Amino acid sequence: MEFEGPAQSFVDEIIIVENVHKWFGEFEALRGVDLRVKPGEVIVIIGPSGSGKSTFIRCLNRLEEHQEGRIIIDGTELSHDIRNIQEVRREVGMVFQQFNLFPHLTVLDNIALAPINVRNWTRDRAEEIAMKWLTRVGIPEQASKFPGQLSGGQQQRVAIARTLAMQPKILLFDEPTSALDPEMISEVLDVMRDLARSGYTILAVTHEMGFAREVANRIIFMDAGKIVEENNPEDFYNNPKEDRTKLFLSQILHH
Amino acid sequence: MTTHIESTTQQETSSSRGFNWQLFLQDNITGSWYQAILVLALAIITANYAVGQYETYPVMTIIIVAAWLVGIVMVMIGEGRRHHTNFSRWLKENLLSSVSNILLTLLVGLLIASAFIGALQWGILNATFDPAATAPELQPEDGATWGVIVGARKLLATGVLGPEYSWRVWTALFFILGMWLLTYISSRPVLKDKLRVVRNVINGLWLLSPVILYIFLAGVANAPYNFTGALTGGAVLLAIYALLWWQKVIPFRWTGLIATVATWPVLYTIWWAIGNSETFTPINVDEWGGLLLTLIIASSVIVLSLPLGMVLALARQSDVFGIPAWIIWPAGIGATIWGFTSTPELLATSRNLVEQLLSFWPIMILAIAYLIHRMFKGNMVSGASTMFIELIRSVPLITLLFMGINMAPFFFSAGTSIAKPWPVIVGYTLFSSAYMAETIRGGLQAIPNGQYEASDALGFNTLQKMRFIILPQALRIVIPAIVGQFIGAFKSSSLVSIVGLFDFLGINRVISSNPQWLGLRVELYVFMGLVYFLGSFLMSSYSRRLEAQLGVGER
């Protein structure tokens, strides 16, 4: 499987995050997060539950609103301006833990709906591209079925195809394999690996160590709303710098 | 359910040891005080009723009691042999499963049979069917005079509407039936793709159908051609087209522009020509009556309340922050200060304490500003929609209808008279759409948050998100409730007879007070009941079909 790469980006740093704070009422979920990502980088974010990792990547396409700091995606700053948000969302694709496919539409319509209405493509072109992506994630024969008729792994692959059909430059994965049965995880990870190799900028919240070691350029460990450690995969797993990281790794490795 | 399972297991154990009288009594009668009293009361009622029925219909009662006894004997034989035939097992499981059910079976059997015989005697055996012989002295003593339904068919169908308009009502009816037939045929799976153009034409006709029906049923007056009006309409359409193009909702095309701008003048000219031809002279819509009025009111309310309810529900759910606090407070305080300029004069002229207090009315402005700010955090869209819905829902429909009729003249210049059906339709639509909004809101709340997030993440704007993702799913969930409301709207439209309109139910009073059909109420009510049942049944069976169709691929 070889994937077509994303459209080229003309900025040095495709994601710039500066001192981002986010409160849910009294609770401060993000306490000053800084991150800079170059086009084509693959970043895996890990951390204990409640550490703010999901909140962080959801801020990147404004599913959550940050209250302090700056987020600049491919040269566009996320602000209250609805047009900026729409523009960013066109460039940033997101894959969810619960797939969030549209249950009332066929697999093909699930994928083609956004290109037709957001990118203003003709139905024929959108369906052609939808079929192309379905073929690439390995399930073209499921095009006319409804999401409810597919297995979890197939649904997640449809969700990835739906995201890719919008031709995003950045892909956000929010625990894409956590809701899957063990034997289906590898089929989704295979697709993600190929995407990583074909040049997409990827931010993935996942605890799949094999995936992280193999394709990540950097691993970010978050705890209590902050980035605790940022390291390359080899050092991260073998010689973590911070005590908090060591504790976490020992917990996930020896349970 | 549980008791059923228990009793079978107990019977199995008892049958393996032979019939156990003690267990049987405990199960059926002496299990508890309530059970014993219930069975006793049931036995007394049934016996009394059977004796009473024996005096009125001896043959029928004997046959039913005999059949009942035979059934019991068959079940007992089956129990004794520990082997049931299919029929005796069916009897045991459905009609004769316990002592109380055995008694109920007889009671209900007698009730149904006597009601059936009574209806048969009144409706057919003793009834007359001659439309000409319906006068009081010719009406049978204990039977129906069905002739009234044929004799008064005109009143039942269209009320007091003049006979010269009959052809227009018929044409309107055939138009609608024809449209339905065409829609049905063209949406068959075999033809669906071949007839795309035809389907577009049909959809266009459906959109125009309110206007067409209005021309048929209300008529067009012969008025001089209004050039300014025609041009203004075209200009408004031009402005709308420009706005949509500017907002990038539609692409620019010369053909599209010309078609849009020309729509109004062309339609107006057709309208004017129809008025000029005097084929469809205006009908006094106060003369609408009978089934025609019921159908007009019900279908207008049904057609209007769904989109209106959708808008209200979406508005109530919306998170548009309309007016922030820093505008509400200065504006509220400014308006209050301005309002107080009238206070000294009001205070000087007031005659009692109440009037003195009322002269401080501008405080109300502050109170309202406070409420808006406090309750809706400045979200005017949601606030206005919530207030509208709650206000309408807290007022009875009758009140709205009366208010509609009495208040309608205030909205127009003095001397304009408004025909009653219009304010009734408006009031009823507002009422119905408030309830519809709440129903649809229920559907919206059933949609998981992930659906909103996924559509946001794909870059849909709010309208697209609602149109393609949320509403199709939400509406499907609430189809049964929506159709329930449609049926309610159809039936409750009979309330309009209270405000002096003679709809299908209200026309009963006119017919039964006519010397020709004096006192013939029951026949009419039976007939009306059948018609209402037919309408409601059609709607609910259509909804069941729709649910089955849309249920495809549901998780």
Side-chain angles (χ1 to χ4, degrees):
Chain A
M1 245 189 319
E2 187 53 41
F3 284 97
E4 180 184 295
Q8 184 148 15
S9 194
F10 299 100
V11 290
D12 289 341
E13 284 169 333
I14 195 164
I15 300 174
I16 300 172
V17 178
E18 281 173 1
N19 192 29
V20 162
H21 289 256
K22 161 83 189 163
W23 283 266
F24 289 111
E26 293 290 297
F27 175 68
E28 189 171 5
L30 296 179
R31 309 164 179 237
V33 177
D34 291 281
L35 182 69
R36 278 157 190 276
V37 182
K38 294 194 181 69
E41 261 195 300
V42 176
I43 293 180
V44 166
I45 303 171
I46 68 171
S49 111
S51 61
K53 51 194 194 303
S54 278
T55 308
F56 173 56
I57 70 164
R58 287 157 63 84
C59 281
L60 296 182
N61 64 350
R62 198 72 168 192
L63 286 187
E64 303 286 356
E65 187 183 323
H66 61 284
Q67 281 112 355
E68 224 182 282
R70 301 207 310 159
I71 297 177
I72 301 168
I73 307 284
D74 200 18
T76 309
E77 177 166 6
L78 278 173
S79 64
H80 283 288
D81 190 335
I82 190 86
R83 274 165 300 187
N84 280 358
I85 297 174
Q86 296 284 346
E87 202 167 305
V88 165
R89 282 175 178 168
R90 277 198 291 270
E91 304 307 329
V92 180
M94 188 165 204
V95 177
F96 299 87
Q97 182 179 0
Q98 300 294 346
F99 330 134
N100 294 347
L101 293 178
F102 307 130
H104 63 300
L105 299 175
T106 62
V107 165
L108 193 67
D109 286 339
N110 258 284
I111 303 173
L113 189 67
I116 292 173
N117 293 292
V118 180
R119 293 258 187 232
N120 288 326
W121 293 355
T122 63
R123 173 165 284 275
D124 289 341
R125 180 178 170 206
E127 286 185 352
E128 189 192 319
I129 294 200
M131 274 318 289
K132 191 188 84 185
W133 283 113
L134 264 185
T135 315
R136 298 230 165 143
V137 298
I139 41 175
E141 72 283 0
Q142 313 285 6
S144 57
K145 287 198 183 162
F146 285 90
Q149 298 165 304
L150 304 184
S151 74
Q154 290 172 329
Q155 289 195 41
Q156 192 60 294
R157 285 190 278 163
V158 172
I160 293 174
R162 176 176 75 176
T163 306
L164 289 168
M166 279 295 286
Q167 301 185 331
K169 292 174 184 164
I170 302 170
L171 291 173
L172 307 175
F173 288 90
D174 189 0
E175 308 209 25
T177 54
S178 304
L180 294 175
D181 290 336
E183 76 269 23
M184 293 171 182
I185 292 179
S186 67
E187 65 188 53
V188 171
L189 286 180
D190 284 343
V191 172
M192 287 170 63
R193 256 183 222 115
D194 284 307
L195 290 173
R197 291 193 187 113
S198 50
Y200 284 94
T201 309
I202 292 179
L203 267 78
V205 174
T206 178
H207 291 142
E208 297 296 336
M209 269 174 51
F211 174 79
R213 275 173 190 272
E214 213 175 308
V215 298
N217 299 105
R218 272 189 282 166
I219 294 184
I220 286 172
F221 176 68
M222 283 184 77
D223 187 33
K226 277 184 184 150
I227 294 181
V228 175
E229 180 166 350
E230 209 179 310
N231 217 330
N232 61 46
E234 201 56 35
D235 289 341
F236 182 85
Y237 284 111
N238 296 336
N239 327 295
K241 286 179 281 191
E242 307 286 332
D243 290 344
R244 183 70 190 86
T245 320
K246 284 176 194 157
L247 178 66
F248 177 75
L249 285 176
S250 74
Q251 277 165 343
I252 63 165
L253 294 177
H254 313 288
H255 54 78
Chain B
M1 200 58 187
T2 25
T3 48
H4 177 72
I5 291 163
E6 275 167 19
S7 68
T8 30
T9 47
Q10 275 170 355
Q11 269 157 14
E12 269 164 22
T13 50
S14 69
S15 65
S16 63
R17 282 179 285 142
F19 191 75
N20 186 334
W21 271 106
Q22 219 175 345
L23 213 58
F24 175 80
L25 281 179
Q26 202 185 341
D27 267 1
N28 285 286
I29 300 169
T30 56
S32 69
W33 275 109
Y34 321 110
Q35 201 182 10
I37 292 171
L38 188 82
V39 170
L40 189 68
L42 204 58
I44 293 170
I45 293 170
T46 311
N48 259 328
Y49 188 70
V51 171
Q53 288 302 300
Y54 178 72
E55 280 159 14
T56 339
Y57 308 113
V59 184
M60 176 207 83
T61 313
I62 287 170
I63 290 173
I64 287 179
V65 172
W68 177 67
L69 287 173
V70 169
I72 295 175
V73 170
M74 280 171 74
V75 172
M76 280 168 68
I77 291 172
E79 287 288 289
R81 290 170 56 206
R82 291 182 209 167
H83 175 74
H84 278 289
T85 61
N86 282 341
F87 181 61
S88 70
R89 178 173 295 113
W90 181 85
L91 275 181
K92 184 194 148 192
E93 284 171 1
N94 291 288
L95 295 178
L96 307 169
S97 55
S98 69
V99 169
S100 50
N101 279 356
I102 290 173
L103 290 169
L104 266 179
T105 300
L106 180 62
L107 184 63
V108 173
L110 287 169
L111 276 169
I112 293 174
S114 54
F116 180 73
I117 288 182
L120 193 72
Q121 283 181 338
W122 178 81
I124 295 173
L125 299 178
N126 300 341
T128 61
F129 296 88
D130 185 4
T134 51
E137 63 277 12
L138 297 173
Q139 293 168 8
E141 193 92 339
D142 48 0
T145 313
W146 293 116
V148 62
I149 287 160
V150 181
R153 63 186 183 280
K154 207 139 179 305
L155 281 170
L156 282 170
T158 58
V160 294
L161 194 70
E164 69 271 27
Y165 301 124
S166 293
W167 70 272
R168 282 161 65 170
V169 178
W170 280 110
T171 324
L173 185 69
F174 281 117
F175 169 71
I176 283 293
L177 290 179
M179 288 287 290
W180 257 325
L181 197 68
L182 279 176
T183 314
Y184 180 76
I185 292 171
S186 66
S187 65
R188 295 286 81 196
V190 199
L191 299 168
K192 210 169 178 177
D193 292 324
K194 292 178 196 161
L195 297 178
R196 201 159 263 184
V197 183
V198 179
R199 292 181 66 204
N200 284 341
V201 172
I202 293 173
N203 287 342
L205 271 178
W206 273 122
L207 273 181
L208 271 181
S209 63
V211 183
I212 297 171
L213 289 177
Y214 182 91
I215 293 172
F216 277 117
L217 299 174
V220 188
N222 185 2
Y225 197 84
N226 183 349
F227 275 105
T228 14
L231 291 179
T232 320
V236 168
L237 287 176
L238 177 69
I240 292 174
Y241 190 90
L243 187 74
L244 290 180
W245 166 73
W246 181 53
Q247 287 293 316
K248 295 182 178 150
V249 181
I250 48 172
F252 180 81
R253 281 199 203 93
W254 277 110
T255 46
L257 177 70
I258 292 168
T260 311
V261 174
T263 310
W264 179 263
V266 167
L267 286 180
Y268 174 75
T269 311
I270 295 174
W271 179 268
W272 170 83
I274 290 171
N276 205 32
S277 72
E278 307 219 323
T279 320
F280 298 101
T281 47
I283 291 176
N284 177 8
V285 296
D286 274 334
E287 287 177 7
W288 282 347
L291 193 56
L292 174 71
L293 181 64
T294 295
L295 289 181
I296 288 175
I297 292 178
S299 51
S300 321
V301 169
I302 284 172
V303 168
L304 293 172
S305 67
L306 185 62
L308 215 63
M310 244 188 276
V311 170
L312 283 172
L314 290 179
R316 188 169 183 168
Q317 291 281 71
S318 72
D319 50 5
V320 182
F321 285 81
I323 305 179
W326 57 268
I327 295 183
I328 286 191
W329 286 117
I333 291 168
T336 311
I337 292 170
W338 175 80
F340 268 120
T341 53
S342 68
T343 301
E345 192 190 329
L346 282 172
L347 204 58
T349 55
S350 51
R351 289 159 298 181
N352 53 37
L353 185 68
V354 178
E355 287 190 2
Q356 278 171 1
L357 283 177
L358 280 177
S359 65
F360 290 97
W361 65 270
I363 289 176
M364 291 294 292
I365 300 177
L366 274 187
I368 290 170
Y370 173 76
L371 277 180
I372 289 174
H373 180 60
R374 183 67 198 276
M375 290 172 71
F376 309 116
K377 300 189 181 79
N379 185 344
M380 294 301 287
V381 177
S382 164
S385 165
T386 309
M387 279 208 271
F388 175 84
I389 291 171
E390 296 306 331
L391 197 74
I392 296 279
R393 290 209 309 163
S394 56
V395 175
L397 177 55
I398 299 279
T399 317
L400 275 178
L401 297 183
F402 274 117
M403 268 166 65
I405 285 184
N406 292 323
M407 285 170 59
F410 301 158
F411 296 108
F412 298 91
S413 51
T416 322
S417 69
I418 313 291
K420 269 183 192 168
W422 304 129
V424 163
I425 287 174
V426 170
Y428 198 176
T429 303
L430 293 182
F431 179 81
S432 194
S433 54
Y435 281 88
M436 191 62 77
E438 289 299 273
T439 306
I440 293 172
R441 192 164 68 99
L444 289 175
Q445 282 172 348
I447 305 299
N449 220 3
Q451 295 288 312
Y452 290 87
E453 287 178 356
S455 13
D456 281 341
L458 284 168
F460 288 113
N461 63 33
T462 310
L463 269 182
Q464 291 168 333
K465 177 168 69 181
M466 288 300 166
R467 158 87 180 74
F468 296 116
I469 310 298
I470 307 301
L471 276 178
Q473 296 185 58
L475 289 181
R476 178 189 304 178
I477 294 172
V478 292
I479 285 174
I482 289 179
V483 176
Q485 277 205 0
F486 284 173
I487 292 174
F490 172 55
K491 291 185 299 179
S492 313
S493 66
S494 53
L495 275 175
V496 303
S497 61
I498 291 178
V499 293
L501 286 171
F502 294 103
D503 75 316
F504 191 51
L505 196 75
I507 203 80
N508 193 330
R509 273 179 294 160
V510 178
I511 298 173
S512 60
S513 57
N514 187 312
Q516 201 183 340
W517 303 299
L518 204 62
L520 294 176
R521 285 168 177 278
V522 186
E523 291 84 349
L524 290 168
Y525 281 130
V526 169
F527 175 68
M528 285 161 185
L530 282 176
V531 173
Y532 276 113
F533 170 78
L534 192 71
S536 311
F537 181 76
L538 283 179
M539 279 194 260
S540 69
S541 53
Y542 178 71
S543 113
R544 256 174 284 143
R545 236 188 62 194
L546 198 66
E547 274 171 66
Q549 265 177 16
L550 293 177
V552 188
E554 196 77 89
R555 255 180 254 226

